[in-house]
Amino acid sequence: MKLAILGGAGRMGQMLLGCAQELGLEVVATTERPDSPFIGQAAGNGLSYQADWPEAADTVIDFTFHTCVTANLENAVRCRQAYVLGTTGLTEAERAAVDAAAQKIPLCFAPNFSLGVNLLLELVRRAASVLDESYDAEIVEMHHRHKKDAPSGTALGLAQALAEGRGVSLEDVACYGRHGIVGERPTGEIGIHALRGGSVVGDHTVLFAADEERVEITHKASSRAAFAKGALKAAQWLQGRAPGRYDMRNVLGFEA
Ligand code: NAD
């Protein structure tokens, strides 16, 4: 596998470069945005940050910013590269570009690549199928003050898993935050709330609150290495796969 790390100077890019080295994986290039002060500077591992598309790679890992994902996907399709996509906050058009690219290249997208969160998704799907709408479901997430999108991609993934577990459409029941005289909570609503502050790597709690009891399932990431190692595992899993859109359920064998 010849890896390229896109956005290598970012928080996740740095972690990916470090973990790839630790695991002995070959990284052939790392990119940054064309106006980045890092272009041309040393990135470790004998590499320097480049703005050009990393054509020498057979697999790219993208933890950048949503506005550049469509162009990145077009380049990967042109170069027939496998694609690990971790960037969140994608618009509807950008999500459509992901689906279009996945018809031509093997692509793994996950709003959260950690093993623990992917287990949490399974637990929430199961809990939502057991705890009916008499249990009010709420999701609370907290991230560091630099995070640009809200709610987190992981919170949206959890909300989707919850809706699937209940057999309802998320857009019919989602409530993103509350403010003002909002009235009583409608039965079946799924509340989603984003907290921002400090250097929190990523906390997610899913609550099911009934009159007589409350179930809370929490995941707390303490290092971005949890995401980086999952993304590198996905990159290895994609080797030799047919074009298609995969996720961590496929990588971890939860679908079996
Ligand atoms: P960051 O801002 O620290 O890093 C992003 C990097 O991408 C920056 O260095 C930026 O200059 C670079 N970049 C922007 N445009 C580029 C382009 N066109 N080409 C190359 N590089 C470009 O952000 P971060 O905290 O590392 O997070 C990056 C993304 O990953 C966010 O969307 C975040 O929500 C997401 N994320 C996903 C997971 C997951 O497990 N899926 C985990 C953590 C973060």
Side-chain angles (χ1 to χ4, degrees):
M1 179 168 68
K2 291 185 187 312
L3 271 177
I5 309 293
L6 310 183
R11 281 175 286 265
M12 277 304 299
Q14 287 289 291
M15 191 53 84
L16 283 157
L17 286 167
C19 288
Q21 190 172 32
E22 213 177 279
L23 296 170
L25 300 173
E26 186 185 8
V27 181
V28 296
T30 183
T31 70
E32 259 302 323
R33 48 175 222 280
D35 62 339
S36 164
F38 290 102
I39 296 297
Q41 290 199 24
N45 305 7
L47 302 169
S48 51
Y49 294 105
Q50 62 185 65
D52 296 338
W53 186 255
E55 295 190 347
D58 55 34
T59 306
V60 299
I61 303 188
D62 180 337
F63 284 74
T64 58
F65 193 56
H66 72 99
T67 50
C68 65
V69 167
T70 303
N72 292 345
L73 289 165
E74 284 167 6
N75 276 313
V77 167
R78 175 175 59 80
C79 299
R80 298 177 179 279
Q81 292 158 319
Y83 207 103
V84 176
L85 177 60
T87 305
T88 61
L90 304 186
T91 64
E92 208 168 303
E94 289 157 356
R95 286 199 299 270
V98 173
D99 289 334
Q103 292 180 6
K104 307 234 173 69
I105 55 173
L107 183 152
C108 181
F109 171 65
N112 190 310
F113 276 95
S114 87
L115 175 59
V117 157
N118 284 283
L119 177 62
L120 179 69
L121 284 165
E122 292 303 300
L123 295 174
V124 164
R125 200 173 278 113
R126 173 92 179 105
S129 70
V130 174
L131 303 174
D132 64 18
E133 291 185 347
S134 64
Y135 288 75
D136 297 327
E138 298 275 315
I139 297 170
V140 184
E141 59 103 332
M142 180 161 186
H143 283 83
H144 54 90
R145 66 170 74 91
H146 304 291
K147 184 162 178 62
K148 298 184 183 85
D149 53 316
S152 69
T154 304
L156 292 173
L158 288 165
Q160 187 60 44
L162 233 159
E164 281 169 23
R166 284 196 168 163
V168 297
S169 160
L170 178 60
E171 61 190 36
D172 293 343
V173 294
C175 170
Y176 296 95
R178 295 189 184 89
H179 178 240
I181 314 295
V182 294
E184 287 190 13
R185 187 186 199 284
T187 302
E189 189 169 77
I190 296 177
I192 304 158
H193 312 278
L195 282 59
R196 293 289 175 266
S199 58
V200 176
V201 173
D203 293 355
H204 293 87
T205 295
V206 181
L207 298 96
F208 296 89
D211 288 338
E212 51 289 291
E213 64 176 351
R214 191 161 83 232
V215 176
E216 298 185 9
I217 314 175
T218 295
H219 175 273
K220 295 186 180 190
S222 47
S223 164
R224 289 184 180 82
F227 314 129
K229 287 181 179 165
L232 292 166
K233 192 182 181 88
Q236 289 170 302
W237 184 88
L238 281 177
Q239 301 309 299
R241 299 272 161 194
R245 180 170 165 171
Y246 303 101
D247 62 25
M248 282 305 271
R249 270 191 283 178
N250 304 117
V251 175
L252 298 170
F254 287 163
E255 291 287 62

